[in-house]
Amino acid sequence: MQLHTEISGKELLPNVATIGFFDGVHRGHRFLIEQVCEAAAVRGLASSVITFPVHPRKVMHPDFHSELLTTCDEKTALLADTGIDYCIMLDFTPDLARLSAKQFMAVLKGDYQVQALVIGYDHRFGHNRSEDFDDYVRYGQELGMEVILAQAYSNNEMTVSSSAIRHLLLEGDVSEAANCLGYHFFLNGTVVNGYHVGRKIGFPTANLCVNDPEKLVPADGVYAVNVFLGEAKHTGMLSIGYRPTLNNGLDRSIEVHIFHFDADIYDQPMRISFIRRTRSELKFDSIEELIEQLHKDEAEITAILSLQ
């Protein structure tokens, strides 16, 4: 996949494109992109995804706090795995937001060589999003651009959308979120210093500082996880929350006990991949009760991860 930002049309081959923010690059997005690739192959054209580095609502409303399933870099990496030829990353500016749908389509045709536009079944674009698919078809005819209505992703067992996945994660249901995403939800960050209590009670932990403050963090609780340090994969149990037994105050922490691991990894990059939530965060009456529960957590999570 070629990533393009500020480009001229001469740098792109004529292509079939689709537009969206594609947060999470979930199963529904992938189904749409498959249709783009198929349409491009039939027409002998390149395939492209047109997306934005920052959520459009963030541009129009600076106080809007995104809860991202994927950062821009993570989204780009996931899009590269779809087989698309081009990822065109457009800056969503107030000027761009003021363009009508027809004006925007004219930009796509003139500047980005878009010969055919595949539109998601429920997608709207252009100023105020006041136009519908029939309008897009008419504008396309006037501009010499084919407009194709995508089939909707159908799965009787789940509703697949970025907002539905966010809801699942905020409820702690990382297993169902993985079914919708097509992969296990993950956090990327750096290992930072913590309170060093875990080592004293026999469960040393690595504390994760997430790279992007707008990346969604799942609900508080204990999770079975995979841990990636460079190319090495480990298993572990992760806790998200305020450590009420230890009176951690308002400092929310993300800390993972990596099984069968003992090394200094401070300041190193780490990825956490969520497999299953096993329980909510609990407050215990004593450190001894906490340690007893951690041993139970370790046994349960080891059994879960052994089935992967």
Side-chain angles (χ1 to χ4, degrees):
M1 183 188 78
Q2 295 181 22
L3 175 64
H4 293 273
T5 51
E6 295 180 5
I7 61 172
S8 69
K10 294 179 181 178
E11 297 176 7
L12 291 171
L13 294 173
N15 63 88
V16 178
T18 191
I19 311 166
F21 188 60
F22 297 103
D23 188 24
V25 194
H26 55 61
R27 290 185 187 274
H29 294 145
R30 291 168 187 266
F31 183 65
L32 172 61
I33 293 169
E34 285 174 8
Q35 294 176 68
V36 172
C37 292
E38 290 169 2
V42 168
R43 291 159 178 80
L45 300 172
S47 56
S48 65
V49 164
I50 299 167
T51 190
F52 312 99
V54 178
H55 198 290
R57 286 183 64 186
K58 182 75 173 178
V59 175
M60 303 310 295
H61 306 283
D63 58 344
F64 172 72
H65 179 73
S66 306
E67 290 184 305
L68 297 173
L69 302 177
T70 46
T71 66
C72 184
D73 287 344
E74 292 166 356
K75 176 172 69 174
T76 302
L78 289 166
L79 286 171
D81 288 335
T82 66
I84 206 80
D85 292 317
Y86 301 135
C87 175
I88 301 171
M89 194 73 67
L90 296 184
D91 282 332
F92 191 88
T93 63
D95 286 342
L96 185 64
R98 283 190 286 268
L99 294 180
S100 68
K102 185 177 181 180
Q103 289 170 327
F104 183 56
M105 290 170 67
V107 170
L108 298 184
K109 178 72 184 297
D111 293 349
Y112 299 97
Q113 302 296 314
V114 175
Q115 306 300 307
L117 187 63
V118 180
I119 297 178
Y121 74 100
D122 62 348
H123 186 68
R124 296 288 181 270
F125 61 89
H127 184 62
N128 291 332
R129 299 186 176 186
S130 58
E131 293 131 315
D132 60 18
F133 180 76
D134 290 337
D135 294 315
Y136 304 149
V137 171
R138 187 172 71 256
Y139 302 151
Q141 291 171 343
E142 296 172 6
L143 294 167
M145 176 191 293
E146 184 181 3
V147 177
I148 304 165
L149 180 62
Q151 296 179 9
Y153 179 74
S154 177
N155 189 312
N156 295 329
E157 298 179 357
M158 65 185 82
T159 298
V160 178
S161 69
S162 298
S163 58
I165 295 168
R166 287 187 198 98
H167 177 75
L168 289 169
L169 292 171
L170 291 172
E171 291 293 318
D173 194 349
V174 296
S175 303
E176 187 64 13
N179 289 334
C180 295
L181 286 166
Y183 58 88
H184 295 294
F185 181 75
F186 59 86
L187 294 174
N188 284 316
T190 303
V191 179
V192 296
N193 258 307
Y195 291 90
H196 304 286
V197 175
R199 185 169 296 277
K200 296 176 183 177
I201 62 175
F203 289 90
T205 60
N207 288 257
L208 183 75
C209 177
V210 179
N211 287 341
D212 190 326
E214 295 203 329
K215 172 91 175 193
L216 184 149
V217 175
D220 293 348
V222 175
Y223 295 84
V225 298
N226 287 323
V227 182
F228 297 89
L229 294 163
E231 297 299 319
K233 175 184 175 182
H234 307 271
T235 56
M237 60 182 192
L238 177 134
S239 173
I240 299 174
Y242 298 91
R243 309 198 313 170
T245 306
L246 302 172
N247 297 315
N248 207 40
L250 298 178
D251 186 11
R252 191 184 192 208
S253 62
I254 304 170
E255 51 185 334
V256 59
H257 172 63
I258 306 173
F259 297 148
H260 314 297
F261 182 84
D262 185 15
D264 183 354
I265 54 174
Y266 288 121
D267 299 322
Q268 292 189 26
M270 180 168 68
R271 172 178 289 201
I272 301 293
S273 180
F274 290 79
I275 307 303
R276 190 187 304 176
R277 185 176 188 244
T278 57
R279 66 172 173 86
S280 59
E281 184 175 49
L282 302 172
K283 179 178 174 60
F284 298 94
D285 293 332
S286 67
I287 294 294
E288 289 71 27
E289 285 187 16
L290 171 61
I291 294 172
E292 181 180 355
Q293 180 60 52
L294 289 176
H295 282 292
K296 293 178 181 178
D297 292 335
E298 183 177 29
E300 180 183 4
I301 288 173
T302 298
I304 291 170
L305 295 174
S306 70
L307 300 176
Q308 286 190 92

